[in-house]
Amino acid sequence: SAKCVQLLYQFAKYVVIENMKKNSKGTGIPFAEAVKLRPKNMYMAKARYRVAYNKLLQIFEKERFVMQEYKEKVR
């Protein structure tokens, strides 16, 4: 449902921001600046993005399948 997707989005956003905060500590770079920085290796950054995006799609597909199975069993 839309509420579930919104909840997952908010949680994913929270996790990414917390991870960025953690990774920018001790670097001497404030969090706001760290968000704007471009990675030195764009190939690796794009590869990580593709992996994360594909994983998120798999999660959504699995959720859709589970919900469909649940609805069929309820009938």
Side-chain angles (χ1 to χ4, degrees), residues 1 4-5 7-9 11-12 15 50-68:
S1 73
C4 184
V5 170
L7 179 65
L8 288 173
Y9 171 76
F11 178 68
V15 170
R50 283 192 303 272
V51 169
Y53 181 77
N54 288 335
K55 185 68 176 170
L56 184 61
L57 288 179
Q58 289 173 358
I59 290 168
F60 286 151
E61 183 64 25
K62 186 174 183 179
E63 179 206 9
R64 187 184 66 78
F65 175 76
V66 168
M67 291 302 292
Q68 186 177 6

